[in-house]
Amino acid sequence: MITTPTAPIGGKGPVSCPDDGPLTGTLALPAPTGLHSQDGTGHVLLDWDPVDGALGYVVHRSDSVDGPFAPLDHGGGDMPVVPHPPYADTRVEAGRGYWYKVASWTGAGPGPLTPGPVRGCARARGIGPAAVEVRVDAGAAPVPLRGVWKRTIGSGHLPLPPDGGPAHGGTDTAAEHAEALRIVLGGIGIRTVRTHGTFQPERVTVRADGTFDFTELDAALDRLLAAGLEPVVELSYPPEDIAADPGTTVLKRGGTSTRPDPGRYRGLCRELTAHLCERHGADEVSGWLFEVPDEPGPEVLRTGSQDAFHRRYETAARAVKGVDDRIRVGGHSSGAAAWVGSLLEFCRRADVPIDFVSARSRGNAPLDLRPLTRSFARATGRPEPEVLWTERAVTARHFHPADDSAFAAPSVLRAVKSALASADAFTSWVATDRMERADPPPALFHGGPGLLTAGNLRKPRFWALRLLSGLAGGRVPARVTGDGAEALVEALATAAGDGTHSDVLVWNGTPDRTRAAGAAALDRTALVEVRGLTPDAVYDVTLWRVDEGHADIRTVWEAMGGGDRPDARQWARLRAADVLPAEPLPAVSAGPDGTVSLSVDLPMPGVRSLRLTRA
């Protein structure tokens, strides 16, 4: 056992560190064992034994048993890492054989490949869609469904001022952005907003005496709070006046990307925290999150080193905690979890406070960062930091058509289900395509990352989260078997616990962007069996569908002729079509054992939600 000499959180004396070795999840691990494949319709299904301490896995493929083996790219993600098995390779040709190996992935990168490759061969589609079975135990004791997707939403910019300029929907940008936040608050239940651009020049200015003017920031935060939302305060992009190189800026935000002067940055963070506590009350602000972000990649978003970020994080964390130790501080929204392990290791060695780690995922489902956070807690004796995925988008870059399409609906549900098992928050990036105080988007549907279009039409990804938020009761077991089970087709289910109702949410999707427009071989028919209902009772059934032909506003626009921007008449037609209809199905009777069975079509991409209510 060693004792660190530096001051701990709150300055109460030295902290004992029972473990001085490297944090679990920061070193390479052995290759997974038990790798095997299963030939599927339109895909090859791979499964393997999970490796203790792995954050994720990298699947490699070759056309030959002798290699070379290359990582399977999903065509739009941060990096080709998947959080867990099983995995469905859909970038295949029917009847053609492939060879596979898998590597564990940690903060140190991928480890060694499995020594012996396995072969897989996709089948062609038969006469009709292949089948899967979804078995729900509505009689099991329900457990709370953790609303990780409701905790926060990404905001490309703090809510814009009233003079934000004209927007797509005929209102000014600020009104449009405020409406977008109201929609995600009411439709999904989002509670907080990650305040991108806190220190932007239009938010914080430096007075002649060196103090800071937060007038415009206060106005932006007031609009958030008035809408019923709380901020996640992002301590990012320092003002030009305190930056090492004021001329180095990023994107159109005008934020500086160089390391700030440590003393001035410390003063800014401390003064902002004190100001917020005085203005909103220390008890209120103590419930907010303060995030110190950075971008390990791409390089355009930063110019500092990893060590420079660590020092900036320490400066900010100590400044905030110096005002009120109850405020939760963390960082840093890194791509594909890069630098998370190194940040925790730095905080451990230097005894720097950290209450949560944040990361972003573009295109892939969230990885499991708990080996890092649990190891940190064991090594320091502190509470385990929370795991927050604060930016999750369908693709790594803007302007990908998948963001606007039904492909994004099962993608976001797959990501949420992964986060349910391993994270404390899942944040969609972002609320609306109208993100910046800049030129409007080039077209209504341009591949923007928002849940809503400019003009606030709901995309399929919004509807998927709306259905998720609509699940009633507690979570009960839902097991999927069959062709592509738990890799293509997944499910979540809830029930009241007294046999009065059960909800089943099932989806069919792949991370493979080359299948974003759909693939007939991946379509499925789902036999849904719900057990544990009231024996011999009659149940009303309601169905909701999200796919290319249902709740896909882009398809509606294309049927109208498409183009860049709607005129007033087209806007009226689009808003009338911006709905997710509830479709009543014929009532069903439970058997003597309380079981109901029904079949639904499940295209890829597609989402189906079923509600069974005792008549």
Side-chain angles (χ1 to χ4, degrees):
M1 178 179 294
I2 64 169
T3 302
T4 53
T6 50
I9 302 172
K12 300 176 181 178
V15 171
S16 296
C17 296
D19 178 9
D20 194 34
L23 295 179
T24 301
T26 60
L27 299 178
L29 295 172
T33 59
L35 176 64
H36 62 278
S37 68
Q38 180 177 338
D39 297 346
T41 306
H43 74 286
V44 174
L45 187 72
L46 300 172
D47 205 349
W48 57 89
D49 298 328
V51 177
D52 187 31
L55 310 184
Y57 303 89
V58 182
V59 179
H60 292 64
R61 192 180 78 181
S62 173
D63 293 332
S64 167
V65 65
D66 298 320
F69 287 85
L72 267 174
D73 182 14
H74 305 136
D78 286 307
M79 58 188 304
V81 182
V82 297
H84 52 72
Y87 170 80
D89 178 17
T90 59
R91 191 169 289 194
V92 293
E93 297 178 18
R96 180 179 175 184
Y98 303 90
W99 296 88
Y100 297 92
K101 294 185 175 185
V102 177
S104 304
W105 192 87
T106 70
L113 293 171
T114 46
V118 300
R119 186 179 186 273
C121 180
R123 298 190 299 262
R125 183 183 183 186
I127 296 174
V132 293
E133 298 79 39
V134 182
R135 293 184 171 87
V136 175
D137 186 0
V143 298
L145 177 60
R146 298 190 307 120
V148 296
W149 68 95
K150 298 179 182 180
R151 187 163 176 180
T152 186
I153 187 75
S155 174
H157 202 290
L158 269 169
L160 299 167
D163 61 349
H168 266 66
T171 60
D172 67 47
T173 325
E176 183 178 303
H177 198 281
E179 180 192 25
L181 294 179
R182 285 193 295 270
I183 289 172
V184 299
L185 173 64
I188 300 174
I190 303 294
R191 302 193 300 272
T192 64
V193 175
R194 186 165 173 257
T195 60
H196 226 40
T198 301
F199 293 152
Q200 291 296 110
E202 65 268 27
R203 297 284 172 252
V204 175
T205 57
V206 183
R207 301 186 183 96
D209 63 358
T211 60
F212 301 98
D213 185 344
F214 301 117
T215 302
E216 293 301 324
L217 176 62
D218 287 338
L221 293 178
D222 286 348
R223 286 191 289 273
L224 271 186
L225 295 168
L229 293 156
E230 290 184 353
V232 175
V233 181
E234 184 192 79
L235 305 176
S236 62
Y237 303 134
E240 292 183 2
D241 304 69
I242 67 172
D245 182 3
T248 304
T249 60
V250 296
L251 306 178
K252 291 188 176 182
R253 304 184 186 103
T256 58
S257 58
T258 56
R259 185 183 182 187
D261 173 85
R264 299 297 306 283
Y265 183 63
R266 181 183 304 109
L268 172 60
C269 294
R270 182 175 58 245
E271 192 172 330
L272 171 65
T273 307
H275 172 80
L276 294 176
C277 288
E278 180 180 357
R279 193 168 191 271
H280 301 284
D283 290 341
E284 167 73 16
V285 176
S286 68
W288 298 358
L289 299 178
F290 283 58
E291 182 187 43
V292 187
D294 205 330
E295 295 274 3
E299 294 293 328
V300 68
L301 298 180
R302 66 172 181 89
T303 58
S305 64
Q306 184 182 88
D307 180 68
F309 166 68
H310 291 165
R311 296 301 173 186
R312 181 164 68 84
Y313 175 83
E314 178 181 15
T315 298
R318 293 198 189 282
V320 171
K321 291 285 190 179
V323 175
D324 191 331
D325 186 53
R326 296 176 298 170
I327 297 175
R328 291 167 292 168
V329 183
H332 52 96
S333 196
S334 60
W339 292 11
V340 171
S342 63
L343 175 61
L344 285 170
E345 186 63 53
F346 169 78
C347 290
R348 171 198 178 190
R349 299 290 182 183
D351 193 23
V352 177
I354 185 166
D355 300 300
F356 64 87
V357 295
S358 58
R360 64 173 171 83
S361 173
R362 301 293 173 88
N364 303 325
L367 305 179
D368 187 353
L369 304 184
R370 291 175 300 174
L372 294 170
T373 56
R374 289 173 176 173
S375 179
F376 175 84
R378 289 194 301 268
T380 61
R382 303 182 199 171
E384 181 182 349
E386 288 190 303
V387 175
L388 312 181
W389 289 90
T390 54
E391 288 188 25
R392 200 277 171 173
V394 178
T395 58
R397 298 186 181 277
H398 297 181
F399 307 110
H400 194 297
D403 282 291
D404 295 330
S405 74
F407 178 86
S411 173
V412 72
L413 293 178
R414 181 183 304 278
V416 169
K417 188 175 181 184
S418 180
L420 281 170
S422 61
D424 300 286
F426 169 90
T427 303
S428 290
W429 179 259
V430 282
T432 167
D433 285 349
R434 184 61 160 145
M435 297 193 303
E436 305 295 344
R437 192 181 186 182
D439 297 331
L444 177 62
F445 294 103
H446 63 283
L451 297 178
L452 310 173
T453 69
N456 292 335
L457 299 172
R458 297 157 181 85
K459 297 184 187 180
R461 188 157 46 109
F462 171 89
W463 290 122
L465 292 173
R466 176 68 185 89
L467 289 172
L468 183 61
S469 296
L471 295 178
R475 186 178 180 181
V476 294
R479 181 171 178 261
V480 184
T481 59
D483 198 343
E486 302 296 354
L488 291 173
V489 179
E490 297 179 273
L492 287 170
T494 58
D498 58 2
T500 56
H501 84 268
S502 180
D503 289 345
V504 184
L505 184 63
V506 58
W507 59 90
N508 183 4
T510 170
D512 178 8
R513 279 20 170 220
T514 67
R515 302 293 185 260
L522 299 177
D523 293 345
R524 296 292 183 265
T525 296
L527 175 64
V528 180
E529 180 183 88
V530 183
R531 303 175 181 177
L533 299 174
T534 303
D536 300 316
V538 176
Y539 284 83
D540 295 325
V541 183
T542 306
L543 170 69
W544 291 268
R545 293 187 283 179
V546 180
D547 55 40
E548 189 178 45
H550 303 87
D552 186 346
I553 197 67
R554 188 185 70 168
T555 301
V556 176
W557 176 234
E558 290 173 349
M560 292 167 57
D564 288 344
R565 292 179 176 82
D567 58 27
R569 182 177 298 178
Q570 290 170 323
W571 268 116
R573 292 177 60 187
L574 287 169
R575 296 201 188 285
D578 188 21
V579 294
L580 177 66
E583 306 174 43
L585 298 183
V588 294
S589 296
D593 61 350
T595 298
V596 163
S597 296
L598 61 160
S599 180
V600 294
D601 70 306
L602 189 59
M604 199 304 294
V607 178
R608 298 290 183 263
S609 186
L610 289 162
R611 170 161 292 176
L612 282 70
T613 307
R614 193 171 63 198

